[in-house]
Amino acid sequence: MSHAPLPAGRLDTDVAIIGAGVVGCAIARELSRYELRLTLLEAGPDVGAGTSKANTALLHTGFDAKPGTLEARLVKRGYQLLSEYARRVGIPVEVTGALLVAWDEQQRKRFPSILGQARANGHHGLRELAPDELYRREPQLGAGAVGALEVTEEGIVCPFTTPLAFATEAVLAGCDLRRSAPVRALERLDGGGFALTLPGGRLTAGCVVNAAGLHADEVDRMLGHQGFTVTPRRGELIVFDKLARPLVNQILLAVPTELTKGVLIAPTVFGNVMLGPTAEDVERKDDTSSTAAGFAYLREQGERIVPALLEQEVTAVYVGLRAATEHVDYQVSVHADEGYACVGGIRSTGLSASMAIAEHVREQLGDAGLTLEPRAADLPELRMPNIGEAFPRPYVEPERIARDRDYGRVVCFCERVTRGEIRDAFGSPIPPVDLDGLRRRTRAHMGRCQGFFCGAELAAWLAGRGAGS
Amino acid sequence: MVAVVGAGPAGLAAAIELRRRGVAEVLVLEREAEPGGIPRHAQHQGFGLRDLRRAMSGPSYARRLAELARRAGAEIRTETMVTGWSPVGPLELTSPRGRETLSPAAVVLATGCRERPRAARLVPGSRPAGVMTTGMLQQLVYLRRQPVGERALVVGAEHVSFSALLTLAHGGARCVGMTSELERHQSLAAFRLGAAIRFRAPLWTRTAVTAIRGHPRVEEVELTAVGSGRTRTVACDTVVFSADWIPDNELAAMAQLDLDPLTRGPAVDAALRTSRAGVFAAGNVLHGAETADVAALSGRHAAAGVAAFLAAGGAAAAGVAAGDPAAGGPAAAGGPATDRVPIRCEHPLGWIAPNVVAAGAGAPARGHFALRSRELLPRPALEIAQGGRPLWRGRVRRLMPGRSTRVPHEWAAAVDPDAGPVAVRLRG
């Protein structure tokens, strides 16, 4: 089963992880707890800047996963791990609960099978609500709902802080993070290990973990495997103004069909309300364009679910590509003989399952012979800057402002981001390289004005000419 | 003490007038590092005509107003943001001094407005760099000296769109064109002529921007002809979304002031009184943008209302504690809240301001109501009515989106406080 132990020092790194999305970052963090030399490679400009940044940001319990699948097991386990981790390191998370709303009798007739599926997945807390209770809970719900299933443990989590926290922890433990480092070629070395061709040269590694998301099938093929094909599934999302937040108390899910989980409305950890996603298979893996048809479809769906939402201002539009494959389940395989792990086909549940996927991959790599010796010294406790609405942020913390006045200087008015936080982001272990990166770390430029007030100042910061940078 | 939120033209003019009328303590709260508001970064000429009776550039005007306010004895606190205000609580402030709360005898909201950005207009396509509002463009060029690209498309053809044109030229970018979904521009003929001659910028009317493409920066924009639906693409690296103003109404919403559904700003009567006793609103927080001098005159007018409110004994005389949610907007003469009669525009009219009739409010700022339309209408016949009862009928010269038309105010005296909302509509 196990590949031959590799001579120390012969290779540049023990494990090369391809892809710094939420899954790759989680794996890097997991492995960073062991005596290993790690390299985390990201083709894009930043961690969590691909599929991981544009999703519904739900913390799924996995109640509706297909029983018996790896996905069902890992989402359930991942929910527990991420819930605990998020609270520990300061990733914004809120357990809002979800309501799966039936809009006709046919949909309501599916409740028993959904309940059965949930029980098979080990979720026993679901409860059916009659219309009167449903409308008491969600007074702004559109007319015509005939009932709902309540899933109290479903939640929302910050899709930006999560991969960043994982990657930060890994980097602080010594992991070599390389951004804008696409893997152009990947080949096996005689005598074990791999050679990766990167823009800056060659990297040799004992093990390779393929967490390349949309491109996982291409990386897989570089090694001659033909496990699966990724078909990007485009999801467009509309984010409404924070003034809309009182309209929705919980996550409002649709009753899933054979084809799709449907359009949902959910609060975000930033205090907005999100409507989406669409689900459309597209050809190109970089086609994150929004469409007039997508907007029209979402508005039509949203109009029925929470009509008052559509009267609110739109703050932002996000488009993500899910890494769908021809298979129902995640495509996780460890090729023990060669020291290669492929973690593909991680669809929309990847954020929730990320830590469990990482744990699973670590176990599998260990079984395959990777030496996993826990690190001698524990790493210092990580604490991420809070960017969530449910927890105090610097602008409301008098002690913090007293210690450092820059936490009292609000730069981004819409999102109340202070100069101190922007400065901290640039000084962090994984500093932003562009406006999107700054936005994901601080919320600056994420709000309703989209830069009318602070855009120029942020541009100056990024150009290195900001007054304080 | 009276707190003025926002040190733009409306807020500064209010502060100056409050001091002139003898209010002892006037505190202007400004979240930016410098007072002056939007004119700080609008370099072109023509500011100050109506309020200061002289023409000056935006930055000079901003400095002048701030200087006048300080000289009048108002305190301007910059880098101070009002971050919270509940229906019952004090103003919550964040500044480098720390967190503070403030319970003034009266508040003037002068938080201004902003342009709707691309996302709010639901323009599809990719999400490249190089897409901005005029506000951001002006700050990039004039305050931060940052590059703005080489070929820019300006979306919109209102006053501010022509200001964007000047700013682009100053920043070294060429304007490849301006678009408007309407059949003509909505600014002054001289501006349009100037744009055509000086910048050779074509104006594409009845044209919508239907997609933006490019990565990582804008490469092209898809334009669609309104009506025919014909599309074409224009190569550019910058897109400026101008006009399409929305009041910065967050504080008003937090305080649960009544908002006018059409302006999206706080609903006010002719004395600029909001639905909460002792809270006034002035300038462009009331509605889409008027010019800076008009905003200043609005601020001056609000100050008169505040002075009258304080002279009548303020909140105490109105029978309310400032901030009591049960208390509506009584105000100067202490009238009860229930006397506020809303004025509603009917399509295709856009909004009217002020948009409430209340006893004792007097004449509106500058002696007229301001009316906006969603369509271009030459010499339209208007009717203002309450229930079936006409209050005023007449023609106005012209209605045009993006520009206000004067409507007389004398009819307001005949409004019956118990007869429901007043409607403003086209006749015939």
Side-chain angles (χ1 to χ4, degrees), chain A residues 11-25:
Chain A
L11 300 167
D12 300 326
T13 189
D14 293 326
V15 184
I17 300 153
I18 303 172
V22 71
V23 171
C25 290

PDB file of all heavy atoms in Angstrom, chain A residues 11-25:
ATOM      1  N   LEU A  11      13.739  16.473  -2.016  1.00  0.00           N
ATOM      2  CA  LEU A  11      12.634  17.186  -2.654  1.00  0.00           C
ATOM      3  C   LEU A  11      12.420  18.535  -1.979  1.00  0.00           C
ATOM      4  O   LEU A  11      12.746  18.713  -0.808  1.00  0.00           O
ATOM      5  CB  LEU A  11      11.357  16.339  -2.566  1.00  0.00           C
ATOM      6  CG  LEU A  11      11.471  14.969  -3.245  1.00  0.00           C
ATOM      7  CD1 LEU A  11      10.315  14.087  -2.842  1.00  0.00           C
ATOM      8  CD2 LEU A  11      11.527  15.134  -4.756  1.00  0.00           C
ATOM      9  N   ASP A  12      11.835  19.450  -2.746  1.00  0.00           N
ATOM     10  CA  ASP A  12      11.634  20.801  -2.218  1.00  0.00           C
ATOM     11  C   ASP A  12      10.633  20.834  -1.063  1.00  0.00           C
ATOM     12  O   ASP A  12      10.748  21.633  -0.152  1.00  0.00           O
ATOM     13  CB  ASP A  12      11.128  21.732  -3.328  1.00  0.00           C
ATOM     14  CG  ASP A  12      12.106  21.826  -4.478  1.00  0.00           C
ATOM     15  OD1 ASP A  12      13.321  21.768  -4.210  1.00  0.00           O
ATOM     16  OD2 ASP A  12      11.654  21.946  -5.636  1.00  0.00           O
ATOM     17  N   THR A  13       9.632  19.990  -1.163  1.00  0.00           N
ATOM     18  CA  THR A  13       8.575  20.036  -0.157  1.00  0.00           C
ATOM     19  C   THR A  13       8.017  18.632   0.053  1.00  0.00           C
ATOM     20  O   THR A  13       8.122  17.781  -0.830  1.00  0.00           O
ATOM     21  CB  THR A  13       7.470  21.023  -0.603  1.00  0.00           C
ATOM     22  OG1 THR A  13       6.554  21.220   0.462  1.00  0.00           O
ATOM     23  CG2 THR A  13       6.689  20.525  -1.816  1.00  0.00           C
ATOM     24  N   ASP A  14       7.444  18.417   1.231  1.00  0.00           N
ATOM     25  CA  ASP A  14       6.860  17.097   1.489  1.00  0.00           C
ATOM     26  C   ASP A  14       5.511  16.952   0.783  1.00  0.00           C
ATOM     27  O   ASP A  14       5.240  15.948   0.154  1.00  0.00           O
ATOM     28  CB  ASP A  14       6.674  16.880   2.993  1.00  0.00           C
ATOM     29  CG  ASP A  14       8.010  16.799   3.727  1.00  0.00           C
ATOM     30  OD1 ASP A  14       8.980  16.277   3.130  1.00  0.00           O
ATOM     31  OD2 ASP A  14       8.094  17.274   4.871  1.00  0.00           O
ATOM     32  N   VAL A  15       4.669  17.976   0.931  1.00  0.00           N
ATOM     33  CA  VAL A  15       3.339  17.913   0.319  1.00  0.00           C
ATOM     34  C   VAL A  15       3.068  19.219  -0.428  1.00  0.00           C
ATOM     35  O   VAL A  15       3.205  20.300   0.139  1.00  0.00           O
ATOM     36  CB  VAL A  15       2.223  17.705   1.372  1.00  0.00           C
ATOM     37  CG1 VAL A  15       0.864  17.553   0.684  1.00  0.00           C
ATOM     38  CG2 VAL A  15       2.495  16.499   2.256  1.00  0.00           C
ATOM     39  N   ALA A  16       2.703  19.089  -1.690  1.00  0.00           N
ATOM     40  CA  ALA A  16       2.250  20.255  -2.455  1.00  0.00           C
ATOM     41  C   ALA A  16       0.739  20.156  -2.592  1.00  0.00           C
ATOM     42  O   ALA A  16       0.222  19.136  -3.050  1.00  0.00           O
ATOM     43  CB  ALA A  16       2.907  20.281  -3.829  1.00  0.00           C
ATOM     44  N   ILE A  17       0.071  21.204  -2.141  1.00  0.00           N
ATOM     45  CA  ILE A  17      -1.391  21.240  -2.257  1.00  0.00           C
ATOM     46  C   ILE A  17      -1.723  22.201  -3.385  1.00  0.00           C
ATOM     47  O   ILE A  17      -1.303  23.363  -3.358  1.00  0.00           O
ATOM     48  CB  ILE A  17      -2.028  21.705  -0.930  1.00  0.00           C
ATOM     49  CG1 ILE A  17      -1.646  20.731   0.187  1.00  0.00           C
ATOM     50  CG2 ILE A  17      -3.547  21.816  -1.060  1.00  0.00           C
ATOM     51  CD1 ILE A  17      -1.639  21.349   1.560  1.00  0.00           C
ATOM     52  N   ILE A  18      -2.445  21.704  -4.367  1.00  0.00           N
ATOM     53  CA  ILE A  18      -2.775  22.539  -5.527  1.00  0.00           C
ATOM     54  C   ILE A  18      -4.179  23.096  -5.333  1.00  0.00           C
ATOM     55  O   ILE A  18      -5.161  22.360  -5.322  1.00  0.00           O
ATOM     56  CB  ILE A  18      -2.698  21.730  -6.834  1.00  0.00           C
ATOM     57  CG1 ILE A  18      -1.300  21.105  -6.994  1.00  0.00           C
ATOM     58  CG2 ILE A  18      -3.038  22.620  -8.027  1.00  0.00           C
ATOM     59  CD1 ILE A  18      -1.200  20.126  -8.157  1.00  0.00           C
ATOM     60  N   GLY A  19      -4.248  24.398  -5.163  1.00  0.00           N
ATOM     61  CA  GLY A  19      -5.549  25.042  -5.001  1.00  0.00           C
ATOM     62  C   GLY A  19      -5.744  25.571  -3.594  1.00  0.00           C
ATOM     63  O   GLY A  19      -5.767  24.805  -2.634  1.00  0.00           O
ATOM     64  N   ALA A  20      -5.849  26.896  -3.463  1.00  0.00           N
ATOM     65  CA  ALA A  20      -6.078  27.504  -2.147  1.00  0.00           C
ATOM     66  C   ALA A  20      -7.489  28.050  -2.054  1.00  0.00           C
ATOM     67  O   ALA A  20      -7.720  29.178  -1.649  1.00  0.00           O
ATOM     68  CB  ALA A  20      -5.039  28.585  -1.870  1.00  0.00           C
ATOM     69  N   GLY A  21      -8.423  27.202  -2.468  1.00  0.00           N
ATOM     70  CA  GLY A  21      -9.822  27.482  -2.144  1.00  0.00           C
ATOM     71  C   GLY A  21     -10.063  27.011  -0.726  1.00  0.00           C
ATOM     72  O   GLY A  21      -9.119  26.668  -0.003  1.00  0.00           O
ATOM     73  N   VAL A  22     -11.316  26.979  -0.333  1.00  0.00           N
ATOM     74  CA  VAL A  22     -11.588  26.623   1.063  1.00  0.00           C
ATOM     75  C   VAL A  22     -11.126  25.201   1.361  1.00  0.00           C
ATOM     76  O   VAL A  22     -10.632  24.918   2.463  1.00  0.00           O
ATOM     77  CB  VAL A  22     -13.090  26.838   1.406  1.00  0.00           C
ATOM     78  CG1 VAL A  22     -13.989  25.803   0.740  1.00  0.00           C
ATOM     79  CG2 VAL A  22     -13.297  26.859   2.913  1.00  0.00           C
ATOM     80  N   VAL A  23     -11.202  24.299   0.381  1.00  0.00           N
ATOM     81  CA  VAL A  23     -10.809  22.912   0.616  1.00  0.00           C
ATOM     82  C   VAL A  23      -9.288  22.784   0.703  1.00  0.00           C
ATOM     83  O   VAL A  23      -8.758  22.192   1.649  1.00  0.00           O
ATOM     84  CB  VAL A  23     -11.390  21.987  -0.486  1.00  0.00           C
ATOM     85  CG1 VAL A  23     -10.810  20.583  -0.368  1.00  0.00           C
ATOM     86  CG2 VAL A  23     -12.907  21.954  -0.402  1.00  0.00           C
ATOM     87  N   GLY A  24      -8.580  23.375  -0.253  1.00  0.00           N
ATOM     88  CA  GLY A  24      -7.122  23.317  -0.223  1.00  0.00           C
ATOM     89  C   GLY A  24      -6.560  23.972   1.032  1.00  0.00           C
ATOM     90  O   GLY A  24      -5.617  23.463   1.650  1.00  0.00           O
ATOM     91  N   CYS A  25      -7.133  25.099   1.421  1.00  0.00           N
ATOM     92  CA  CYS A  25      -6.674  25.793   2.628  1.00  0.00           C
ATOM     93  C   CYS A  25      -6.934  24.945   3.872  1.00  0.00           C
ATOM     94  O   CYS A  25      -6.105  24.889   4.783  1.00  0.00           O
ATOM     95  CB  CYS A  25      -7.366  27.150   2.762  1.00  0.00           C
ATOM     96  SG  CYS A  25      -6.838  28.355   1.526  1.00  0.00           S
TER      97      CYS A  25
END
